[in-house]
Amino acid sequence: MTGELIEDFVAVKDEKEASQIYNKGCYGQPQSGGALKLSLIEAVYLFEAKRVEIKRKNRRMSFVQLFRYANKRYPDFEIRYIVYRDLRMRGYVVKPDIQPAHFRVFPRGGRPSKTPSRFWVLAASERGMFDLEDMVSQMRRVQKARKRLLIGIVDEEGDLTYYQARLMRPKGKVKPNDYEISADALFLGDRVLVLDSDEAETLHTTEFFGKFIGEGLQLSLLETAYLLEMGVIILRDAKTGRKIDLAQFTRKAKRIQPDFDTRLKVYKDLKSRGLIVKTGFKYGTHFRVYKGDPEKEHALYLVHAVSPAYHSTWPEISRAVRLAHGVKKELLLGRIVEKESEYIRLKRVRP
Amino acid sequence: MTGELIEDFVAVKDEKEASQIYNKGCYGQPQSGGALKLSLIEAVYLFEAKRVEIKRKNRRMSFVQLFRYANKRYPDFEIRYIVYRDLRMRGYVVKPDIQPAHFRVFPRGGRPSKTPSRFWVLAASERGMFDLEDMVSQMRRVQKARKRLLIGIVDEEGDLTYYQARLMRPKGKVKPNDYEISADALFLGDRVLVLDSDEAETLHTTEFFGKFIGEGLQLSLLETAYLLEMGVIILRDAKTGRKIDLAQFTRKAKRIQPDFDTRLKVYKDLKSRGLIVKTGFKYGTHFRVYKGDPEKEHALYLVHAVSPAYHSTWPEISRAVRLAHGVKKELLLGRIVEKESEYIRLKRVRP
């Protein structure tokens, strides 16, 4: 079977050939006269599979010529092709070039006009940037269409990894408590101790704040800021004995953790959702998040608090997702945009 | 039993009390007159364990007063104390304040003067920097003394994670080959294809270069630079057909991967050690490293190529180590200093 390369598509003009190609795999778009219009990516795939030959100005093209032609026309052709080819070889029916994703993917034997698509796929290079704002707006559009979004990342050697990305709303079981105490707490330079053992006990048993070190309850910087804002603790400097208010404390905390504000916003939002939040240091992330008692259950999520305009590289994202999976947790990126919170769940999947 | 706080130590003057404290746990340094000199960290621990009371200028101190005193004297006292306390509570005999580490650790019931120490420990805060140069020189001194180095990292909530750090020399089984081919290769903007199938086969079967995409062998940027330098491939631009030499290629590669030089140096060193090196993208690191055929065996190491003056934060390091463990590999940081290569293995351990 033969197709003719015309600019950015390939036309299969023989009616019988056109319908054979379309009927086995739904390649291309059938035209009114009986011909079939293949996109470049479909043509390259069918060429590689030896199902079509391609002519240009009546001369046969080699695979390498066609591949180079497509690469010249589309700078990211190869990346998209690797993803398209992989999905096709897994038996899916794949339709290229939709917005907001690159491909709509249908189950094996599905018909794009009749079967609902199984998921939408974006193709990206490992060298591309991960742009959160961009990703969120794509997720929104895909979720509005009630579809799943997969992102296929092509690495240096042409290997593929797929991530499922979605916006979600985490929820826990521990409502923030109204404390009727104002506990004395001591600022020790980079952490805080509550020394009265009854007050320490109250804070630890109701919302699992802090960690006991000897008889004192050690609070993290975030817990301290949270409890200061709630008026539950009175903070004093360990050296001078002077009182420290929330604004002063926040300034000190920023010197230790430059992204303290970003973390605190997400921390407060997670607390308001009834979740218990502990440091995620061991996992190289900001928070381990529990639905209930952290001493009785495992953390469900690892949450990374990010700024609204967060950028990262795909290897970084890959590492964080992989790590969360390794410990059977889900990775969430959390950000607060104005007063709205958004949590993006990223999950490695096999399509 | 009572000790007297004098500047940065506590003296137990009663001979009987001194020998009781020393005999059970080897705390302090026995003095010629029969008294015992406790360091502040030992005194705080024995106070918390209710084995001593502390007086200063004849007035009894509370635990909080002693703790605050020690924190004022030593800015990192609390971090060191948390590590010291943890090791003591695990039953080890711990001697503070040696160079290059912070503690020498002896097995339960050991005697510092008779028993060899089991390992040396450095205490660090999760908020401290990971400084590679510093770490390497500490590792060198500890390894020269034929000891193991552990690093105890204290997180925000006072939880502890221990890493074992050592310099090592990875070695593989696949000697670099002398090829008698000069294969044509095509530069496609961010990767390279070898199109002749015999040459592709040769490169892939001898040293497992590249990955087959259709009929072509796709080489990574590093493989391309390596093979160009060896004179095994002739590289041409896919658009213009013009030849590209090593210097030109390296310039192009740097535009895509700014740290290309650093990676290439480590890549070449790993190759010279008989190892097979593949991209570590899936794991968010630079390389997966195999001793032999990557299709038959699992990767042994995940290697991150770093600059000689590499700095990072502990949460970053923690994440990388944790990830490597999750997939049963060892994390190595590799750097080339002048012409010498160094590999630092970091491993999470329970002491």
Side-chain angles (χ1 to χ4, degrees):
Chain A
M1 293 187 250
T2 308
E4 194 189 332
L5 175 61
I6 306 157
E7 296 186 352
D8 65 347
F9 65 93
V10 166
V12 178
K13 286 175 178 163
D14 180 289
E15 208 174 317
K16 209 179 129 200
E17 291 185 357
S19 78
Q20 268 183 28
I21 292 171
Y22 186 76
N23 288 336
K24 206 181 148 201
C26 298
Y27 294 92
Q29 286 190 292
Q31 304 297 296
S32 53
L36 189 67
K37 193 173 166 180
L38 297 170
S39 68
L40 270 180
I41 214 165
E42 293 173 313
V44 170
Y45 184 71
L46 290 168
F47 194 138
E48 196 188 327
K50 300 197 164 66
R51 285 183 60 191
V52 294
E53 289 184 342
I54 311 284
K55 281 189 176 168
R56 189 187 177 198
K57 293 170 187 160
N58 261 321
R59 289 179 63 181
R60 271 226 218 144
M61 294 180 89
S62 71
F63 179 77
V64 175
Q65 282 171 328
L66 180 64
F67 195 79
R68 284 170 71 168
Y69 179 89
N71 265 296
K72 271 194 205 175
R73 271 197 103 84
Y74 298 104
D76 61 347
F77 179 82
E78 200 205 358
I79 296 297
R80 290 199 197 191
Y81 180 65
I82 289 171
V83 175
Y84 176 86
R85 184 178 180 269
D86 180 74
L87 291 166
R88 277 287 186 183
M89 288 177 77
R90 287 170 189 268
Y92 290 111
V93 171
V94 186
K95 299 306 289 179
D97 290 321
I98 51 150
Q99 286 303 326
H102 297 137
F103 308 119
R104 274 174 305 156
V105 178
F106 300 85
R108 192 190 299 254
R111 293 255 137 192
S113 48
K114 292 173 193 161
T115 329
S117 66
R118 185 167 289 182
F119 40 80
W120 291 4
V121 176
L122 271 175
S125 161
E126 117 177 63
R127 300 210 189 88
M129 285 300 280
F130 174 90
D131 177 329
L132 187 65
E133 183 55 43
D134 210 52
M135 201 54 78
V136 166
S137 65
Q138 301 222 350
M139 270 183 261
R140 279 220 192 87
R141 273 178 281 169
V142 176
Q143 281 178 231
K144 215 172 157 187
R146 296 178 183 278
K147 297 295 174 193
R148 286 204 293 151
L149 178 66
L150 299 196
I151 305 157
I153 313 284
V154 180
D155 77 13
E156 258 210 325
E157 285 156 4
D159 266 329
L160 262 165
T161 308
Y162 291 93
Y163 295 99
Q164 188 180 331
R166 76 175 284 117
L167 293 164
M168 53 88 78
R169 293 186 184 84
K171 236 186 160 76
K173 297 178 293 195
V174 185
K175 287 271 161 297
N177 195 33
D178 276 332
Y179 296 95
E180 287 177 5
I181 55 172
S182 52
D184 278 318
L186 219 52
F187 182 61
L188 285 165
D190 78 344
R191 61 199 76 204
V192 168
L193 273 183
V194 172
L195 295 164
D196 180 280
S197 55
D198 286 343
E199 291 165 344
E201 195 66 28
T202 304
L203 291 172
H204 193 70
T205 49
T206 47
E207 289 179 68
F208 314 103
F209 288 110
K211 185 182 163 90
F212 282 102
I213 300 276
E215 280 167 33
L217 185 72
Q218 184 179 280
L219 300 175
S220 71
L221 299 178
L222 289 166
E223 290 171 329
T224 305
Y226 180 79
L227 291 169
L228 261 180
E229 195 176 333
M230 307 264 288
V232 179
I233 56 173
I234 292 163
L235 187 64
R236 285 177 199 283
D237 189 281
K239 284 188 193 177
T240 62
R242 261 188 235 132
K243 245 176 112 171
I244 302 173
D245 67 18
L246 181 62
Q248 291 167 326
F249 178 73
T250 307
R251 273 200 300 280
K252 284 175 196 286
K254 269 193 212 163
R255 250 174 269 146
I256 302 170
Q257 280 173 357
D259 60 347
F260 187 75
D261 278 341
T262 304
R263 294 193 197 196
L264 183 58
K265 279 183 194 161
V266 174
Y267 177 87
K268 277 158 56 178
D269 183 73
L270 289 166
K271 287 291 296 169
S272 75
R273 291 168 179 274
L275 292 153
I276 299 298
V277 187
K278 293 287 179 182
T279 175
F281 164 69
K282 269 195 215 93
Y283 306 101
T285 185
H286 293 148
F287 308 127
R288 307 192 310 273
V289 175
Y290 298 80
K291 288 207 172 182
D293 185 347
E295 270 142 43
K296 289 186 189 143
E297 40 189 76
H298 291 291
L300 264 183
Y301 307 116
L302 296 182
V303 177
H304 216 68
V306 297
S307 62
Y310 180 66
H311 279 73
S312 187
T313 62
W314 275 108
E316 273 303 307
I317 296 291
S318 188
R319 172 149 64 169
V321 175
R322 184 111 200 174
L323 184 57
H325 280 223
V327 291
K328 300 198 172 70
K329 304 185 197 321
E330 293 190 337
L331 179 79
L332 307 186
L333 299 176
R335 67 169 186 173
I336 311 290
V337 184
E338 281 151 37
K339 297 212 160 165
E340 291 294 306
S341 61
E342 272 166 359
Y343 294 89
I344 293 102
R345 189 181 62 194
L346 287 165
K347 224 167 142 172
R348 202 176 160 213
V349 291
R350 281 170 217 277
Chain B
M1 292 185 251
T2 308
E4 194 190 333
L5 176 60
I6 305 156
E7 296 188 353
D8 64 348
F9 65 93
V10 166
V12 179
K13 288 178 179 160
D14 181 289
E15 207 172 321
K16 207 178 132 203
E17 291 185 357
S19 79
Q20 268 182 28
I21 293 171
Y22 186 77
N23 288 337
K24 206 180 149 206
C26 299
Y27 296 90
Q29 286 191 295
Q31 304 297 298
S32 53
L36 189 66
K37 193 174 166 181
L38 297 170
S39 68
L40 270 181
I41 212 163
E42 293 172 315
V44 170
Y45 183 73
L46 290 168
F47 194 137
E48 195 188 327
K50 301 196 162 65
R51 285 183 59 191
V52 293
E53 289 183 342
I54 310 284
K55 283 190 177 168
R56 188 185 178 200
K57 293 170 187 157
N58 261 323
R59 290 179 61 181
R60 271 227 220 146
M61 293 180 90
S62 71
F63 180 75
V64 175
Q65 283 171 327
L66 180 63
F67 195 78
R68 285 169 71 164
Y69 178 89
N71 265 297
K72 272 195 206 175
R73 269 196 107 83
Y74 298 103
D76 61 348
F77 179 82
E78 201 205 357
I79 296 297
R80 290 198 196 191
Y81 180 64
I82 289 171
V83 175
Y84 176 86
R85 184 177 180 271
D86 181 74
L87 291 165
R88 276 288 186 185
M89 287 177 77
R90 288 169 190 269
Y92 290 111
V93 172
V94 186
K95 297 308 286 180
D97 290 322
I98 51 149
Q99 285 305 323
H102 298 136
F103 307 119
R104 274 174 306 157
V105 178
F106 300 84
R108 191 189 298 257
R111 292 255 138 193
S113 49
K114 292 172 192 160
T115 330
S117 66
R118 184 168 288 184
F119 40 79
W120 291 5
V121 176
L122 270 175
S125 161
E126 121 177 59
R127 302 210 187 88
M129 285 299 280
F130 174 90
D131 177 329
L132 188 65
E133 183 54 43
D134 210 53
M135 202 52 79
V136 166
S137 66
Q138 296 212 335
M139 270 182 260
R140 278 221 193 85
R141 272 177 282 170
V142 177
Q143 280 177 234
K144 213 171 158 190
R146 296 179 184 278
K147 298 294 174 193
R148 287 203 292 152
L149 178 66
L150 299 197
I151 304 156
I153 313 284
V154 179
D155 77 14
E156 257 209 325
E157 285 157 6
D159 266 329
L160 261 165
T161 309
Y162 290 93
Y163 296 100
Q164 189 180 333
R166 77 176 280 119
L167 293 164
M168 51 89 77
R169 294 187 182 82
K171 235 185 161 76
K173 298 177 293 195
V174 185
K175 286 272 162 299
N177 196 31
D178 276 332
Y179 295 95
E180 286 177 6
I181 55 172
S182 52
D184 279 318
L186 220 53
F187 182 62
L188 286 165
D190 78 343
R191 59 198 79 201
V192 168
L193 273 182
V194 173
L195 294 164
D196 180 279
S197 56
D198 285 345
E199 290 165 346
E201 194 66 28
T202 303
L203 291 172
H204 193 69
T205 49
T206 48
E207 287 178 69
F208 314 101
F209 288 111
K211 184 180 165 90
F212 282 102
I213 300 276
E215 280 167 31
L217 185 71
Q218 184 178 280
L219 300 175
S220 70
L221 299 177
L222 288 166
E223 289 172 330
T224 304
Y226 179 78
L227 291 169
L228 261 179
E229 195 174 334
M230 308 264 288
V232 179
I233 57 172
I234 293 162
L235 187 64
R236 284 178 200 282
D237 188 281
K239 287 190 188 172
T240 62
R242 258 186 237 133
K243 247 176 109 169
I244 302 172
D245 67 18
L246 180 63
Q248 290 165 326
F249 177 74
T250 306
R251 273 200 300 280
K252 285 174 196 286
K254 267 191 214 166
R255 251 174 269 147
I256 302 169
Q257 279 173 358
D259 60 347
F260 187 74
D261 279 342
T262 303
R263 294 193 198 196
L264 183 59
K265 278 182 195 161
V266 174
Y267 178 87
K268 278 158 53 177
D269 183 73
L270 289 167
K271 287 290 296 166
S272 76
R273 291 169 179 273
L275 292 153
I276 298 299
V277 187
K278 294 287 180 181
T279 175
F281 164 68
K282 268 196 218 93
Y283 307 101
T285 185
H286 293 148
F287 308 127
R288 307 192 308 274
V289 175
Y290 298 81
K291 289 208 169 180
D293 184 347
E295 271 142 43
K296 290 188 189 140
E297 40 187 77
H298 291 290
L300 264 184
Y301 307 116
L302 296 182
V303 177
H304 216 68
V306 297
S307 63
Y310 180 66
H311 278 73
S312 186
T313 62
W314 274 109
E316 274 303 306
I317 296 291
S318 188
R319 172 148 67 168
V321 174
R322 185 107 199 180
L323 185 55
H325 280 221
V327 292
K328 300 199 171 68
K329 303 183 196 326
E330 293 189 337
L331 180 79
L332 307 186
L333 299 176
R335 67 169 187 173
I336 311 289
V337 184
E338 279 151 38
K339 298 212 158 165
E340 291 294 309
S341 60
E342 274 166 358
Y343 294 89
I344 294 100
R345 190 181 62 195
L346 287 165
K347 228 168 140 170
R348 201 175 161 214
V349 291
R350 280 169 218 278

